[in-house]
Amino acid sequence: MRIAIFTDIHGNASALNAVLSDIDSRKDIERIYCLGDMIGIGPDSNEVLQMLFSRNDISMITGNHDEAVLSLANGQKYPKSHSHTKEHHQWILDRLDESFIPKLEKIHRTIKENLEGHSILFTHYQIKNNYIKEHISKDPFSSIVTPSIENLEKLFESNKEELICFGHHHPLHYFIGEKTIYLNPGSLGCNNQPTAPYAIITLSKEAIEIKLEEIAYDNTSFLESYHKLQVPQREFILKVFHGNQLY
């Protein structure tokens, strides 16, 4: 069985389209898993969600940006840890097609699968103990740690899966421990170059094989849209999340 995973699209429709086109060209990928943060940062919320929800081969989980926007949509308490992004998230919500809100609300935080005899956890990031059902205002997601096998084994010490696929932290993570493989293919939508990463996982009874992919695409119009649309905090976003590629 062959599956694909990607994460952290962050409102970048051009990058998502490039990756989905590459996946579709392969013809042998049976299932796609999207590991959260579909919206937030980039301005293409509606385009991204339309692409995802229009397909029947994609399983999704929510990320902290998705849930923070939903908290505003529902008039709920906004997470203190995201206070610096509240204006930006309100801007995202104001442009969001309301029909997507109930669809986002139905998405869970984790998916656990047994595929070809292998136990797999799909999550945006490790959820603090006893916080799996807590509202985003409780800040349930664990803090980002420096990528290393030692840190990930400690972070996910209560998990027993053979493969843990996650996102949240935008750089690539690929570590093989004694009992668990930890895989974060890197942010699909936030990169300092015009490429979009994802991973292909081949599962057989004997092994788990991982292939890392990086798809080139034209991101010029996407980057320029931050200025055209007057996205809040755009100068900071373009510098930190896109490596100032316009300059």
Side-chain angles (χ1 to χ4, degrees), residues 134-154:
E134 291 284 2
H135 187 260
I136 185 64
S137 62
K138 300 288 187 179
D139 291 318
F141 293 102
S142 296
S143 299
I144 291 175
V145 298
T146 302
S148 72
I149 185 64
E150 293 80 13
N151 284 340
L152 289 171
E153 285 181 337
K154 184 177 181 180

Side-chain angles (χ1 to χ4, degrees), residues 11-26:
N12 186 340
S14 299
L16 177 60
N17 183 63
V19 165
L20 289 177
S21 295
D22 188 77
I23 290 172
D24 291 341
S25 71
R26 296 176 182 271

Side-chain angles (χ1 to χ4, degrees), residues 74-215:
N74 294 319
Q76 297 167 336
K77 187 176 180 180
Y78 188 79
K80 288 183 179 179
S81 62
H82 290 55
S83 58
H84 59 292
T85 61
K86 188 172 183 179
E87 178 189 3
H88 174 81
H89 282 157
Q90 185 63 56
W91 185 90
I92 294 291
L93 175 62
D94 290 343
R95 293 172 53 85
L96 185 65
D97 185 325
E98 292 183 359
S99 67
F100 289 126
I101 293 175
K103 294 179 180 180
L104 287 169
E105 290 174 331
K106 292 179 181 179
I107 301 174
H108 296 290
R109 281 181 173 158
T110 63
I111 297 173
K112 293 185 178 182
E113 301 270 35
N114 190 298
L115 303 176
E116 297 293 331
H118 300 287
S119 57
I120 307 174
L121 170 67
F122 301 95
T123 183
H124 186 61
Y125 207 50
Q126 203 273 343
I127 309 293
K128 295 177 183 178
N129 291 339
N130 303 320
Y131 273 57
I132 190 64
K133 293 185 178 180
E134 291 284 2
H135 187 260
I136 185 64
S137 62
K138 300 288 187 179
D139 291 318
F141 293 102
S142 296
S143 299
I144 291 175
V145 298
T146 302
S148 72
I149 185 64
E150 293 80 13
N151 284 340
L152 289 171
E153 285 181 337
K154 184 177 181 180
L155 188 67
F156 289 100
E157 61 184 352
S158 62
N159 295 95
K160 308 302 180 184
E161 290 83 6
E162 294 175 69
L163 174 63
I164 297 178
C165 300
F166 61 100
H168 192 51
H169 197 178
H170 292 179
L172 167 70
H173 299 54
Y174 180 25
F175 297 97
I176 302 176
E178 290 186 12
K179 298 180 179 180
T180 302
I181 299 171
Y182 303 90
L183 175 62
N184 170 358
S187 173
L188 181 148
C190 293
N191 209 323
N192 60 6
Q193 55 189 345
T195 57
Y198 78 100
I200 298 173
I201 303 170
T202 302
L203 301 152
S204 64
K205 292 182 179 180
E206 295 77 23
I208 299 173
E209 298 178 7
I210 294 170
K211 185 179 180 183
L212 301 173
E213 299 288 346
E214 199 168 49
I215 309 304

